[in-house]
Amino acid sequence: VLTLKGKIAKAGEKIIASNGKKADFSSALESCEKTGGTLATPMNKEENRAILGIVEQYNSYAYLGIKESETSGQFEYMNGTPLNYTNWHQYEPNGKGTEKCVEMYTNGNWNDRKCNLYRLTICEF
């Protein structure tokens, strides 16, 4: 159990976990889906805190399961529904069509970002 300390968390009904590997957005999403989950997607403050705990453990930014919608500057969950909770960093999102993915900073705030960067993979189940 000790080897998983900080690498797995529970938030409500969700289990949030990371293997510590970094990948671009599509590879991170694929690896989560292969294990029966999806990219960690905070739906409230508690879930955001649980994901942040893992981000802090690895001291690394992580992609979230959120993407830019067809409307530039608008973001949605992977299934296409609008966000009902956000934790954007001040003046974010600001990529307007060029930054289609969302990362979590090491302080828990969100930033829109290009999808080809290597970020920590955190999945939810």
Side-chain angles (χ1 to χ4, degrees), residues 7 18-22 58 120-121:
K7 297 168 180 71
S18 178
N19 60 7
K21 293 194 168 75
K22 293 184 181 183
Y58 288 101
L120 184 62
T121 301

Side-chain angles (χ1 to χ4, degrees), residues 27-79:
S27 301
L29 179 61
E30 190 180 320
S31 68
C32 288
E33 288 176 343
K34 273 187 186 152
T35 57
T38 189
L39 272 174
T41 308
M43 304 289 229
N44 55 48
K45 211 174 250 169
E46 182 193 2
E47 292 176 8
N48 204 73
R49 268 198 307 269
I51 297 165
L52 174 60
I54 295 174
V55 164
E56 288 174 333
Q57 186 82 14
Y58 288 101
N59 193 27
S60 175
Y61 294 1
Y63 281 125
L64 298 176
I66 298 169
K67 62 180 172 56
E68 192 169 35
S69 70
E70 297 299 313
T71 310
S72 182
Q74 297 288 313
F75 286 80
E76 62 190 17
Y77 297 117
M78 299 307 291
N79 66 7

Side-chain angles (χ1 to χ4, degrees), residues 10-23:
K10 191 170 183 344
E13 297 299 304
K14 292 182 182 179
I15 299 293
I16 297 163
S18 178
N19 60 7
K21 293 194 168 75
K22 293 184 181 183

Side-chain angles (χ1 to χ4, degrees), residues 55-111:
V55 164
E56 288 174 333
Q57 186 82 14
Y58 288 101
N59 193 27
S60 175
Y61 294 1
Y63 281 125
L64 298 176
I66 298 169
K67 62 180 172 56
E68 192 169 35
S69 70
E70 297 299 313
T71 310
S72 182
Q74 297 288 313
F75 286 80
E76 62 190 17
Y77 297 117
M78 299 307 291
N79 66 7
T81 58
L83 300 180
N84 62 357
Y85 167 81
T86 62
N87 196 38
W88 294 110
H89 193 70
Q90 191 173 12
Y91 309 121
E92 298 295 343
N94 64 10
K96 300 274 188 284
T98 61
E99 299 177 330
K100 297 188 174 296
C101 291
V102 177
E103 67 185 359
M104 179 183 281
Y105 287 154
T106 50
N107 66 2
N109 288 343
W110 304 356
N111 173 43

